Amino acid sequence: MEIYNPATGQAFQQVAEDSVASIVQKVEKARAAQPAWAGRPQRERAEILQRFRDLALARKEELAQTLTREMGKPITQARNELSALPSRLDFFLQNTERAVAGETVLTEAGLTERISFEPLGVVANISAWNYPWFVGSNVFFPALLTGNALIYKPSELATLTGLAIDRLLHEAGVPADVFATVVGAGQAGAALLDTPIDAVCFTGSYATGRRIAEAASKRLLKVQLELGGKDPVYVADDADVESAAVGLADGAFYNTGQSCCSVERIYVHERIYAGFVERFVLEVSRFKIGDPQDDATYIGPLTRSEQLGVLERQVQDAVAKGGVLRVGGKRIDRPGNWFAPTVIEHAHNRMELMREESFGPIIGIAAVSGDEQALLEMNDTDYGLTAGVYTKERARAETLLARVHAGSAYWNCCDRVSARLPWSGRGHSGLGTTLSTLGIRTFVQPKAWHLRG
Ligand code: NAD
């Protein structure tokens, strides 16, 4: 399999892809190795994974360079992803034992009732490329800590990072058969689903997520899906326009707009609409576009070349339906996958721009008459990952956010993930939970004990 640099369009490395036979063999070996891994004291597994955390931190620069080369993430943002990783992993290291400790719920007259938690067994993780360290470790780290074996299929667009994770885990002491990596694209993922795994955790698009769920349903596999979003934000009439515009421009365009929780739709109260749009457009037109290896770059190439066509179609459709293009709107003429940061105002929910996940440097802004219309527009979506409200009044924000159909609610912030809080989606945004103690329990199953005597 060729690895391409999306900033140049040039292939720079080849890696060997897994065959169906090698995938089956990895799953068989994982099955055989898992009981011994689960049988080790929790403290030993935690020590090994702590070493992985320390190794990733020590090799941060080299790993950031790899990520930038294969997916085009601007280097400062690649470094940020690796710098933020240790605190995320520390959450799991500090909370796993407590999250899966189990409890005795009744002791009376010779009867004890107890709940314990057991690992699922062999977990498959089919992952995305946009934040491979974060979305990968949300799964493999707690899954390994709780005694599962893991078969990891990184995205074909983040294979080198996937292989680096594999090497570091093994160097840290995770047995080779307990964590194995499958190299390949969709076909390799589909082949993995045909093996006797116990659960599949998936991060990716809604379209692929549905395919995964359909395949898993035939075998009643446990499924956890982290899918896309069309994340809305409402800027109320009392919001601080300056900080909302600057914060939301970053929330929409960071990682070149390729975040599941990036801001994808902005609704602004009509009283402050014009001023907000001017400040937002100014901020976006100042973004430095360029070589992702350059420290000053904020907008890099798109990772997937196919997304260029999606963005072009969204611009055409929006303009045909009355949207006003304020900046950008087209590909940048250079080798690789480049699209200019794009702002379209007078957007509305009948545009693809406001309905389909863009996953790129583009945003639609619409005016609304007040809180009730904002809520209607925000909830007019199949997705439900995150939603935000900018206002000076916390109570106003909380009242609105309680009625919003989304797994995460933001007041005066956006595009934010915390290891302490559950990450989950409604509707087309997914099934199940990662992160928080609830997300640790994703990787265990309860056993009910009825003990008499
Ligand atoms: P994708 O759906 O194209 O691919 C995801 C993974 O699925 C890849 O590893 C791919 O090889 C594999 N795959 C493709 N077809 C398959 C099949 N038929 N069977 C099994 N596996 C298959 O998504 P992507 O482009 O890698 O990632 C972008 C998407 O991920 C966006 O929609 C984004 O919003 C979403 N995402 C969500 C979260 C979240 O936390 N909710 C986080 C990151 C990314």
Side-chain angles (χ1 to χ4, degrees), residues 336-348:
N337 314 329
W338 295 86
F339 202 88
T342 298
V343 180
I344 295 180
E345 68 160 320
H346 300 302
H348 54 71

PDB file of all heavy atoms in Angstrom, residues 336-348:
ATOM      1  N   GLY A 336      -1.434  18.334  -4.633  1.00  0.00           N
ATOM      2  CA  GLY A 336      -1.981  17.935  -3.328  1.00  0.00           C
ATOM      3  C   GLY A 336      -3.447  18.336  -3.219  1.00  0.00           C
ATOM      4  O   GLY A 336      -4.054  18.801  -4.186  1.00  0.00           O
ATOM      5  N   ASN A 337      -3.993  18.190  -1.999  1.00  0.00           N
ATOM      6  CA  ASN A 337      -5.452  18.354  -1.812  1.00  0.00           C
ATOM      7  C   ASN A 337      -5.772  19.670  -1.116  1.00  0.00           C
ATOM      8  O   ASN A 337      -5.989  19.694   0.088  1.00  0.00           O
ATOM      9  CB  ASN A 337      -6.000  17.220  -0.938  1.00  0.00           C
ATOM     10  CG  ASN A 337      -5.489  15.867  -1.372  1.00  0.00           C
ATOM     11  OD1 ASN A 337      -5.225  15.644  -2.548  1.00  0.00           O
ATOM     12  ND2 ASN A 337      -5.355  14.955  -0.423  1.00  0.00           N
ATOM     13  N   TRP A 338      -5.817  20.751  -1.837  1.00  0.00           N
ATOM     14  CA  TRP A 338      -5.941  22.065  -1.198  1.00  0.00           C
ATOM     15  C   TRP A 338      -7.277  22.719  -1.495  1.00  0.00           C
ATOM     16  O   TRP A 338      -7.717  22.777  -2.642  1.00  0.00           O
ATOM     17  CB  TRP A 338      -4.808  22.976  -1.676  1.00  0.00           C
ATOM     18  CG  TRP A 338      -3.478  22.475  -1.241  1.00  0.00           C
ATOM     19  CD1 TRP A 338      -2.687  21.554  -1.884  1.00  0.00           C
ATOM     20  CD2 TRP A 338      -2.789  22.806  -0.039  1.00  0.00           C
ATOM     21  NE1 TRP A 338      -1.546  21.316  -1.166  1.00  0.00           N
ATOM     22  CE2 TRP A 338      -1.580  22.072  -0.022  1.00  0.00           C
ATOM     23  CE3 TRP A 338      -3.059  23.663   1.027  1.00  0.00           C
ATOM     24  CZ2 TRP A 338      -0.655  22.165   1.012  1.00  0.00           C
ATOM     25  CZ3 TRP A 338      -2.137  23.766   2.059  1.00  0.00           C
ATOM     26  CH2 TRP A 338      -0.955  23.018   2.047  1.00  0.00           C
ATOM     27  N   PHE A 339      -7.901  23.244  -0.445  1.00  0.00           N
ATOM     28  CA  PHE A 339      -9.160  23.974  -0.609  1.00  0.00           C
ATOM     29  C   PHE A 339      -9.092  25.239   0.249  1.00  0.00           C
ATOM     30  O   PHE A 339      -8.704  25.188   1.421  1.00  0.00           O
ATOM     31  CB  PHE A 339     -10.347  23.108  -0.175  1.00  0.00           C
ATOM     32  CG  PHE A 339     -11.657  23.555  -0.774  1.00  0.00           C
ATOM     33  CD1 PHE A 339     -12.071  23.083  -2.019  1.00  0.00           C
ATOM     34  CD2 PHE A 339     -12.467  24.464  -0.108  1.00  0.00           C
ATOM     35  CE1 PHE A 339     -13.272  23.498  -2.593  1.00  0.00           C
ATOM     36  CE2 PHE A 339     -13.675  24.886  -0.670  1.00  0.00           C
ATOM     37  CZ  PHE A 339     -14.076  24.402  -1.920  1.00  0.00           C
ATOM     38  N   ALA A 340      -9.475  26.362  -0.328  1.00  0.00           N
ATOM     39  CA  ALA A 340      -9.378  27.641   0.397  1.00  0.00           C
ATOM     40  C   ALA A 340     -10.407  27.698   1.521  1.00  0.00           C
ATOM     41  O   ALA A 340     -11.552  27.275   1.332  1.00  0.00           O
ATOM     42  CB  ALA A 340      -9.621  28.783  -0.580  1.00  0.00           C
ATOM     43  N   PRO A 341     -10.021  28.233   2.690  1.00  0.00           N
ATOM     44  CA  PRO A 341     -11.000  28.417   3.777  1.00  0.00           C
ATOM     45  C   PRO A 341     -12.181  29.232   3.257  1.00  0.00           C
ATOM     46  O   PRO A 341     -11.985  30.275   2.630  1.00  0.00           O
ATOM     47  CB  PRO A 341     -10.216  29.201   4.838  1.00  0.00           C
ATOM     48  CG  PRO A 341      -8.786  28.993   4.507  1.00  0.00           C
ATOM     49  CD  PRO A 341      -8.687  28.734   3.038  1.00  0.00           C
ATOM     50  N   THR A 342     -13.385  28.719   3.529  1.00  0.00           N
ATOM     51  CA  THR A 342     -14.579  29.235   2.855  1.00  0.00           C
ATOM     52  C   THR A 342     -15.658  29.610   3.859  1.00  0.00           C
ATOM     53  O   THR A 342     -15.967  28.824   4.761  1.00  0.00           O
ATOM     54  CB  THR A 342     -15.114  28.137   1.898  1.00  0.00           C
ATOM     55  OG1 THR A 342     -14.099  27.861   0.926  1.00  0.00           O
ATOM     56  CG2 THR A 342     -16.409  28.558   1.211  1.00  0.00           C
ATOM     57  N   VAL A 343     -16.213  30.813   3.676  1.00  0.00           N
ATOM     58  CA  VAL A 343     -17.343  31.246   4.518  1.00  0.00           C
ATOM     59  C   VAL A 343     -18.509  31.609   3.602  1.00  0.00           C
ATOM     60  O   VAL A 343     -18.343  32.395   2.667  1.00  0.00           O
ATOM     61  CB  VAL A 343     -16.961  32.479   5.368  1.00  0.00           C
ATOM     62  CG1 VAL A 343     -18.151  32.920   6.225  1.00  0.00           C
ATOM     63  CG2 VAL A 343     -15.748  32.183   6.253  1.00  0.00           C
ATOM     64  N   ILE A 344     -19.670  31.030   3.893  1.00  0.00           N
ATOM     65  CA  ILE A 344     -20.879  31.345   3.127  1.00  0.00           C
ATOM     66  C   ILE A 344     -21.921  31.886   4.097  1.00  0.00           C
ATOM     67  O   ILE A 344     -22.270  31.220   5.083  1.00  0.00           O
ATOM     68  CB  ILE A 344     -21.403  30.096   2.390  1.00  0.00           C
ATOM     69  CG1 ILE A 344     -20.368  29.681   1.338  1.00  0.00           C
ATOM     70  CG2 ILE A 344     -22.780  30.360   1.763  1.00  0.00           C
ATOM     71  CD1 ILE A 344     -20.715  28.474   0.534  1.00  0.00           C
ATOM     72  N   GLU A 345     -22.374  33.109   3.834  1.00  0.00           N
ATOM     73  CA  GLU A 345     -23.424  33.653   4.711  1.00  0.00           C
ATOM     74  C   GLU A 345     -24.782  33.564   4.030  1.00  0.00           C
ATOM     75  O   GLU A 345     -24.891  33.135   2.890  1.00  0.00           O
ATOM     76  CB  GLU A 345     -23.085  35.077   5.172  1.00  0.00           C
ATOM     77  CG  GLU A 345     -23.106  36.124   4.111  1.00  0.00           C
ATOM     78  CD  GLU A 345     -23.241  37.527   4.717  1.00  0.00           C
ATOM     79  OE1 GLU A 345     -24.009  37.706   5.686  1.00  0.00           O
ATOM     80  OE2 GLU A 345     -22.581  38.448   4.203  1.00  0.00           O
ATOM     81  N   HIS A 346     -25.818  33.928   4.775  1.00  0.00           N
ATOM     82  CA  HIS A 346     -27.210  33.744   4.338  1.00  0.00           C
ATOM     83  C   HIS A 346     -27.461  32.278   3.996  1.00  0.00           C
ATOM     84  O   HIS A 346     -28.144  31.949   3.030  1.00  0.00           O
ATOM     85  CB  HIS A 346     -27.549  34.679   3.160  1.00  0.00           C
ATOM     86  CG  HIS A 346     -27.386  36.128   3.522  1.00  0.00           C
ATOM     87  ND1 HIS A 346     -28.080  36.708   4.573  1.00  0.00           N
ATOM     88  CD2 HIS A 346     -26.578  37.088   3.016  1.00  0.00           C
ATOM     89  CE1 HIS A 346     -27.691  37.971   4.688  1.00  0.00           C
ATOM     90  NE2 HIS A 346     -26.784  38.230   3.770  1.00  0.00           N
ATOM     91  N   ALA A 347     -26.838  31.412   4.785  1.00  0.00           N
ATOM     92  CA  ALA A 347     -27.053  29.975   4.606  1.00  0.00           C
ATOM     93  C   ALA A 347     -28.412  29.597   5.208  1.00  0.00           C
ATOM     94  O   ALA A 347     -28.972  30.341   6.014  1.00  0.00           O
ATOM     95  CB  ALA A 347     -25.935  29.215   5.302  1.00  0.00           C
ATOM     96  N   HIS A 348     -28.956  28.454   4.795  1.00  0.00           N
ATOM     97  CA  HIS A 348     -30.186  27.926   5.408  1.00  0.00           C
ATOM     98  C   HIS A 348     -30.177  26.402   5.323  1.00  0.00           C
ATOM     99  O   HIS A 348     -29.373  25.809   4.579  1.00  0.00           O
ATOM    100  CB  HIS A 348     -31.441  28.542   4.776  1.00  0.00           C
ATOM    101  CG  HIS A 348     -31.497  28.399   3.283  1.00  0.00           C
ATOM    102  ND1 HIS A 348     -31.718  27.202   2.670  1.00  0.00           N
ATOM    103  CD2 HIS A 348     -31.340  29.330   2.301  1.00  0.00           C
ATOM    104  CE1 HIS A 348     -31.718  27.389   1.355  1.00  0.00           C
ATOM    105  NE2 HIS A 348     -31.479  28.667   1.103  1.00  0.00           N
TER     106      HIS A 348
END
